[in-house]
Structures are given as C-alpha cells and as structure tokens.
C-alpha cells in the first residue's frame, strides 16, 4: 500500500530497537565497549552520562520521534482510505 519503506521495517523488540539505533542510526560498532556501555546506560540501570552520551541519547530520541510521526501519518492515510472505501 502506501506505507513508506522505513515505517514497514520498524523494529519489533528491544534488542532490535537497540541494534537499529546503535548500528544503523548512531553508527556505533557492534560489540564495542561504547555499545555495551550505552545499552546499559540508555536501556538498563542508567548511570553517569558523558556529553557524547547525551548527544547520542538526544539523537536516538529524535529518531524515535520521527518514526512515531511517520507511523501516525501512515495510520491517518489508512483511516482515510478505509473511510473512502466505506463511502463507495
């Protein structure tokens, strides 16, 4: 249908979400010390943030907001299509 490629490939689990943000979006090497530390920091117990961690977290949240907005647009388009089909 009319869904964008990016929204149709959205992650479905926390592990996939981490991989999506760290490897594809934030360009953190898989298995790196930075990856392990940030996963614990962002998704685990938390801890002390360095400035680069704060920047990475802000970028991650911006990406998440963007994906949520894309999903919302897709849902609105779907609703419009359903309403159009039901009025025929």
């Amino acid at each position: 249908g009319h869904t964008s490629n990016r929204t149709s490939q959205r992650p479905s689990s926390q592990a996939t979400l981490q991989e999506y943000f760290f490897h594809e979006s934030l360009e953190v090497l898989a298995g790196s010390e930075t990856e392990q530390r940030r996963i614990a920091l962002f998704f685990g117990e938390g801890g002390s943030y360095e400035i680069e961690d704060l920047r990475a977290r802000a970028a991650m949240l911006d990406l998440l907001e963007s994906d949520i907005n894309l999903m919302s647009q897709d849902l609105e388009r779907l609703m419009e299509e359903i309403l159009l089909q039901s009025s025929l």
Side-chain angles (χ1 to χ4, degrees):
H2 293 276
T3 60
S4 70
N5 193 27
R6 182 168 180 172
T7 57
S8 66
Q9 296 178 355
R10 193 161 274 105
S12 60
S13 69
Q14 183 174 340
T16 306
L17 182 67
Q18 290 168 357
E19 182 176 320
Y20 173 74
F21 282 121
F22 284 96
H23 304 153
E24 294 182 26
S25 304
L26 301 179
E27 300 176 4
V28 173
L29 294 175
S32 70
E33 184 180 323
T34 300
E35 178 198 44
Q36 296 305 314
R37 189 176 55 75
R38 286 189 178 160
I39 287 172
L41 192 61
F42 296 175
F43 299 103
E45 296 286 320
S48 297
Y49 283 75
E50 297 176 10
I51 189 69
E52 288 305 314
D53 298 328
L54 292 171
R55 288 185 179 128
R57 184 179 174 102
M60 180 183 70
L61 294 174
D62 287 344
L63 289 167
L64 185 57
E65 179 182 25
S66 176
D67 279 355
I68 290 169
N69 288 335
L70 287 170
M71 282 193 303
S72 178
Q73 290 172 7
D74 288 345
L75 289 171
E76 285 188 31
R77 261 189 245 115
L78 177 61
M79 186 173 61
E80 289 170 3
E81 289 179 18
I82 290 170
L83 290 173
L84 182 63
Q85 289 297 320
S86 66
S87 68
L88 294 179

